[in-house]
Amino acid sequence: MLRLESGVVKQVLLKRQGMQVLEVFLPETSQTEHAISYSQEHYEEGEELLINTTAIRLQLGTGGYHIVVGKSAEKNPVDVYPSTWGHVMKMRYAPWQLAVDSVEEQHSPYHALFNNEQVSLEGTPVLIGELHSLLPAVASAINQTDSDLRVVYVMPDAASLPIGLSQQADHLKRKGLLGSTVTTGHAWGGDLETVSIHNGLLAARHVAQADIILCILGPGVAGTATTFGFSGMQLAEVMHAVSLLGGVPFFIPRISFSDPRERHLGVSHHTITVLKRFALRPAIVPVPVWDDERDSRIARQMDGICQQTDHLVLRAAAPAEEELDELERMYDLHFSTMGRGWRQDPAPFQTAALAGVLAAKSIPYIKDSISDATNCCVGRDILARLGLFLTRSGV
């Protein structure tokens, strides 16, 4: 199904980098509804638009927005997404394919960097996660731990493709909690663009000068209630790239005690599937400890991961709910995931915040022991030594 309808601009409700929200009148329903535009066009009241209404007509969870394809009455050629040197196409062969300034291509000033086979992440911690809604909690926790650390967000292409959809990334940049953004694969709209997740990570480290990288899927992950049919499967590839490029992978487990679905209660089956069967390189997995019955459930769910893989599970006290309140005030918008705020379901945010704290506190060890190791492949022995450092540091 691909449903296209005509609409008329009523007004522009919101305009931020990479996205505009329009109020449009749709003759098909005789109603005024909301639509997102990712172009840099200027819209006037009364202009006619061609609008993709597929997701809303299917009643999918898209935030209640249609998508603007373009101005239906436009007669002159127009460049709605200007680039400088780019010829790399994203969303290739789709009606909305666009050329971007990919940092690794031949005319890029950074081309030589990506032609160096020895370039590595130099031990940079990379926090890897499935739920985009946890991005603010991670970034805020890092900033609270060490406000001098430069944090860069790398968005893969397993969920939303335009980063302009992310209110979180835009707001975090405005608050100074994110230094820069990178979009990889077919995802587009970041401060930097790359063809692959591997170059996206390297661009974050060497072009955007990241001290810590956040690699969390964009908004709008898909799931099918099947073992392997969910967007988070891409995270195994991310873990491999981080490890083999010499970064330190921190995997943020998806944990909830308020999700009504049994498969997502405690540690989500998404986390268990990726870590237990498909992640072929080890990662640090931060797990909160509550000192109540929640710990027993998580221990049972994580048992196979602890016994059958090389992942390093680091258990530490769950951040207090008062700390979440403080982090939320720092972010200046409400924390929410799967429609629930942290007061209804604190566990996801406590897990994300703990991961951010551990990554930030690992920096001294990394600078002393890992960062100068050229082309270092981070294995279980390095992670174990880092875990020992964090333990002795009182974390």
Side-chain angles (χ1 to χ4, degrees):
M1 177 181 181
L2 173 57
R3 188 177 180 88
L4 300 176
E5 299 180 25
S6 296
V8 178
V9 176
K10 302 293 288 184
Q11 62 175 320
V12 178
L13 300 176
L14 171 68
K15 189 172 185 178
R16 66 171 185 248
Q17 182 178 357
M19 192 192 81
Q20 298 180 67
V21 177
L22 311 179
E23 186 178 69
V24 297
F25 176 76
L26 296 175
E28 179 74 17
T29 59
S30 298
Q31 293 182 349
T32 298
E33 303 181 40
H34 292 167
I36 292 175
S37 170
Y38 296 112
S39 82
Q40 299 180 25
E41 289 184 296
H42 177 72
Y43 295 98
E44 298 283 354
E45 182 180 354
E47 287 185 311
E48 295 183 4
L49 306 177
L50 183 63
I51 299 174
N52 185 330
T53 62
T54 311
I56 300 301
R57 298 298 178 245
L58 288 174
Q59 299 181 329
L60 301 180
T62 62
Y65 298 112
H66 302 296
I67 309 295
V68 174
V69 177
K71 295 181 180 180
S72 56
E74 186 66 62
K75 296 181 180 179
N76 299 315
V78 58
D79 185 354
V80 300
Y81 196 77
S83 58
T84 303
W85 65 77
H87 75 276
V88 167
M89 305 297 291
K90 295 204 173 186
M91 298 172 61
R92 288 185 285 278
Y93 301 102
W96 247 80
Q97 66 175 347
L98 68 163
V100 301
D101 289 329
S102 173
V103 295
E104 66 264 70
E105 65 180 288
Q106 289 87 338
H107 297 293
S108 165
Y110 308 106
H111 178 67
L113 168 70
F114 298 96
N115 244 345
N116 178 6
E117 293 185 6
Q118 300 303 311
V119 68
S120 82
L121 290 175
E122 301 173 336
T124 306
V126 182
L127 289 136
I128 302 163
E130 179 182 6
L131 297 180
H132 190 77
S133 49
L134 299 183
L135 183 64
V138 181
S140 300
I142 293 170
N143 184 268
Q144 186 184 60
T145 304
D146 187 344
S147 60
D148 291 331
L149 294 175
R150 181 169 173 81
V151 181
V152 175
Y153 172 49
V154 174
M155 193 176 93
D157 61 3
S160 165
L161 297 182
I163 198 173
L165 181 62
S166 173
Q167 179 190 30
Q168 292 92 333
D170 178 76
H171 189 70
L172 286 167
K173 285 181 63 180
R174 293 175 186 272
K175 296 291 291 184
L177 300 174
L178 275 185
S180 189
T181 60
V182 184
T183 40
T184 73
H186 281 285
W188 57 276
D191 298 314
L192 301 172
E193 303 271 11
T194 67
V195 171
S196 67
I197 186 64
H198 307 76
N199 278 350
L201 295 165
L202 292 171
R205 175 69 185 101
H206 295 283
V207 180
Q209 300 297 306
D211 296 306
I212 292 183
I213 298 171
L214 309 184
C215 190
I216 298 174
L217 299 185
V221 294
T224 62
T226 61
T227 305
F228 311 132
F230 60 96
S231 302
M233 288 293 289
Q234 190 188 44
L235 299 181
E237 177 191 1
V238 175
M239 294 167 69
H240 300 158
V242 172
S243 179
L244 295 170
L245 287 172
V248 179
F250 286 78
F251 189 91
I252 305 171
R254 179 173 172 176
I255 296 177
S256 171
F257 290 96
S258 298
D259 198 304
R261 298 165 294 180
E262 178 66 25
R263 65 184 183 276
H264 293 304
L265 198 59
V267 183
S268 168
H269 84 94
H270 289 186
T271 290
I272 295 171
T273 298
V274 170
L275 290 178
K276 192 174 179 180
R277 295 191 60 183
F278 292 94
L280 305 180
R281 299 295 306 168
I284 292 176
V285 185
V287 173
V289 175
W290 286 275
D291 290 328
D292 57 29
E293 67 279 357
R294 288 175 288 185
D295 298 339
S296 300
R297 181 182 184 94
I298 288 179
R300 291 193 301 271
Q301 292 174 312
M302 296 290 289
D303 182 61
I305 294 172
C306 295
Q307 301 299 325
Q308 301 171 29
T309 72
D310 286 335
H311 301 304
L312 181 66
V313 177
L314 285 185
R315 293 181 170 86
E321 294 187 7
E322 291 78 10
E323 294 179 48
L324 294 182
D325 189 34
E326 186 176 344
L327 293 177
E328 187 178 60
R329 288 199 302 270
M330 178 189 297
Y331 176 56
D332 204 27
L333 290 176
H334 291 304
F335 288 166
S336 176
T337 186
M338 308 304 291
R340 298 182 293 272
W342 70 261
R343 289 173 177 83
Q344 291 74 46
D345 193 6
F349 304 100
Q350 289 170 310
T351 306
L354 175 62
V357 170
L358 290 176
K361 288 185 176 293
S362 71
I363 295 292
Y365 176 85
I366 289 170
K367 287 183 176 180
D368 289 341
S369 307
I370 303 177
S371 61
D372 60 347
T374 304
N375 218 17
C376 170
C377 181
V378 174
R380 168 76 185 201
D381 55 340
I382 293 177
L383 299 185
R385 291 197 296 271
L386 175 55
L388 183 60
F389 165 80
L390 290 171
T391 301
R392 288 176 172 172
S393 301
V395 179

